[in-house]
Amino acid sequence: FLLSRPTLIHLDNQTEINQTLTYLSKQPLKATLGIRLNVPAYHSHFGFNLENGQAKSAIALLLDKNIPVSSIHLHLGTNLYDPTLYAKSISLTVNFIKEIYTDYGIILKYLDLGGGFPSHGLLPHHLHTQSHPIESYLKLIFSELQKLPYTPTLTLEPGRYLVDDAAIFVSKVIHSNIKDHRQQIIIDSTINQLPLTWTRPNIVAAFSPNLIQLKQTITPTTIYGASCQEIDILYQGNFPKVSPNDLIIFYCCGAYNQNMTPDFIFKRPKTYFL
Ligand SMILES: Cc1ncc(COP(=O)(O)O)c(C=O)c1O
């Protein structure tokens, strides 16, 4: 379908090339085509491998069939806290672009470097590193791109980085008590509505029902969701004392939460656009 539209398609593997060739044996190509690269700097199962010659063979095959190659795409993964991964991968990509320029005279229209930039949320549980500002990614990316022999249109596809901060998750306290010197709070929501909690701690604050932030009587606390699971824990740490009907607000929830929410006991949270 997309091959018959004026759109940009990055072919990911040999099967997609074969499908394209079958399509072109019957109809003309309207789309602009490129390939997705698989670079050794980061493990991924997507794209044509750069190291073992797969990517170059894919391009040779397309050219042999008179199909112009107009774009190269990379998407290294998601939540990449190490900006040097971009530098290493783009350096290899730039060398590849130079090679296909020299060998086949290819001048790309587009270079699409994908997404993967971390958001401003807290670091995932398993990482003991520090996050870097987006500028340090861009600096490294642009210093590699300066080595290109010409200037294709650059596309970036940041998902998480752009949308995570845009959404907050608002829940209400339905019960709180103190057990063994620890405040236990139950909210009217569940970890399944914020599935990213499994991989990273949440940024959480408490408010009165009329939205005054609560900051008093900081106490070791566990915030539980209201599903039947004992592991339905959304936060552990110091927290102000709260009472039923107070609000608990989770920040930086806009990426990969709502769309990964299972339909288990709770429905997907309603979303309001402001
Ligand atoms: C090809 C591609 N580009 C961009 C993205 C967005 O990634 P992120 O949200 O990590 O920036 C994805 C996400 O899987 C993707 O597959």
Side-chain angles (χ1 to χ4, degrees):
F1 170 75
L2 287 175
L3 289 166
S4 66
R5 294 279 182 274
T7 181
L8 173 61
I9 299 175
H10 292 114
L11 301 172
D12 180 69
N13 52 53
Q14 186 60 42
T15 303
E16 291 190 358
I17 292 192
N18 296 344
Q19 286 166 341
T20 304
L21 296 179
T22 307
Y23 172 89
L24 291 181
S25 63
K26 297 176 207 138
Q27 289 156 84
L29 176 70
K30 296 263 176 64
T32 302
L33 290 189
I35 63 163
R36 179 166 176 167
L37 290 187
N38 178 304
V39 289
Y42 187 76
H43 175 76
S44 163
H45 67 280
F46 294 107
F48 292 93
N49 193 285
L50 198 63
E51 224 176 7
N52 65 10
Q54 219 180 39
K56 201 159 175 203
S57 305
I59 287 190
L61 175 60
L62 290 168
L63 293 182
D64 188 50
K65 303 286 178 190
N66 288 324
I67 302 172
V69 178
S70 306
S71 184
I72 291 286
H73 171 49
L74 276 188
H75 172 68
L76 298 176
T78 193
N79 238 350
L80 302 175
Y81 282 92
D82 178 4
T84 65
L85 273 178
Y86 285 86
K88 286 179 208 150
S89 310
I90 295 167
S91 166
L92 294 167
T93 304
V94 166
N95 289 341
F96 182 68
I97 291 174
K98 283 184 186 161
E99 193 178 329
I100 58 175
Y101 175 62
T102 311
D103 293 359
Y104 304 127
I106 291 180
I107 299 186
L108 299 169
K109 283 194 193 134
Y110 307 105
L111 175 59
D112 177 345
L113 298 177
F117 310 100
S119 68
H120 302 100
L122 299 179
L123 287 175
H125 297 298
H126 68 283
L127 280 185
H128 305 285
T129 176
Q130 59 175 89
S131 55
H132 300 272
I134 193 74
E135 289 77 10
S136 46
Y137 289 78
L138 298 179
K139 218 169 143 187
L140 288 175
I141 290 175
F142 284 108
S143 86
E144 291 303 327
L145 292 182
Q146 270 163 12
K147 300 171 194 160
L148 279 171
Y150 56 90
T151 316
T153 300
L154 175 67
T155 309
L156 295 173
E157 304 174 356
R160 181 191 299 275
Y161 178 80
L162 286 186
V163 298
D164 217 12
D165 283 345
I168 61 168
F169 181 81
V170 181
S171 65
K172 203 191 301 181
V173 175
I174 52 179
H175 173 71
S176 72
N177 68 333
I178 300 285
K179 189 181 172 200
D180 300 331
H181 309 291
R182 195 170 183 87
Q183 176 178 225
Q184 299 187 132
I185 302 172
I186 301 177
I187 57 175
D188 65 348
S189 314
T190 165
I191 191 168
N192 301 312
Q193 292 174 312
L194 285 182
L196 256 62
T197 309
W198 296 116
T199 52
R200 70 161 195 217
N202 286 308
I203 303 169
V204 197
F207 292 82
S208 67
N210 55 353
L211 286 179
I212 310 292
Q213 187 169 1
L214 305 173
K215 294 183 175 167
Q216 300 300 321
T217 331
I218 300 296
T219 312
T221 295
T222 303
I223 300 180
Y224 293 94
S227 76
C228 58
Q229 303 160 279
E230 285 292 357
I231 50 168
D232 193 347
I233 294 174
L234 290 118
Y235 173 81
Q236 296 194 78
N238 288 332
F239 204 67
K241 279 248 176 81
V242 297
S243 314
N245 292 323
D246 285 337
L247 300 173
I248 307 279
I249 297 191
F250 296 80
Y251 293 87
C252 207
C253 297
Y256 305 110
N257 270 309
Q258 199 200 33
N259 46 5
M260 292 195 178
T261 299
D263 202 3
F264 174 68
I265 304 185
F266 285 79
K267 294 280 177 205
R268 280 188 181 179
K270 282 188 194 149
T271 305
Y272 298 92
F273 293 90
L274 301 176

